[in-house]
Amino acid sequence: MLGWPGSDWQENDAPVHDAPIKAEWKTLNTEARHTFTHFHLRLKICTALVPMDRTPTVGSFVEAEDFDPGDLPTAMRKAYDLYRGT
């Protein structure tokens, strides 16, 4: 499933922040919120500009021409929409 890298989802604990790639990360001053059947999810959104030739420690990059935001699951699309609105 297409999505953004992140920490494990945890209840009432601060997530462990292991960046998926070495970069200068910036945290948005907002969070994406999504409600599943049995829990509420709050996502802190961090962004970075990263060269395409850099290798992530988790996951893989998608070429810009192959990326369609409509392919994202709803929770990941909310994070994307907040980023695009900045």
Side-chain angles (χ1 to χ4, degrees):
M1 179 182 312
L2 187 61
W4 311 116
S7 64
D8 292 336
W9 295 354
Q10 301 174 10
E11 186 176 350
N12 300 324
D13 291 330
V16 176
H17 299 287
D18 288 331
I21 198 163
K22 185 176 173 120
E24 185 176 323
W25 292 92
K26 296 179 182 172
T27 302
L28 297 184
N29 192 23
T30 189
E31 64 185 15
R33 294 177 179 216
H34 186 75
T35 299
F36 291 92
T37 306
H38 295 92
F39 68 96
H40 302 287
L41 176 67
R42 295 182 359 220
L43 298 171
K44 180 171 70 170
I45 304 166
C46 301
T47 65
L49 294 176
V50 179
M52 288 299 291
D53 62 350
R54 193 168 294 170
T55 304
T57 57
V58 176
S60 60
F61 288 126
V62 174
E63 296 287 343
E65 60 269 8
D66 296 332
F67 175 70
D68 178 358
D71 292 339
L72 291 166
T74 304
M76 298 294 124
R77 177 63 188 260
K78 288 178 180 182
Y80 174 81
D81 290 342
L82 285 170
Y83 163 73
R84 295 296 296 172
T86 61

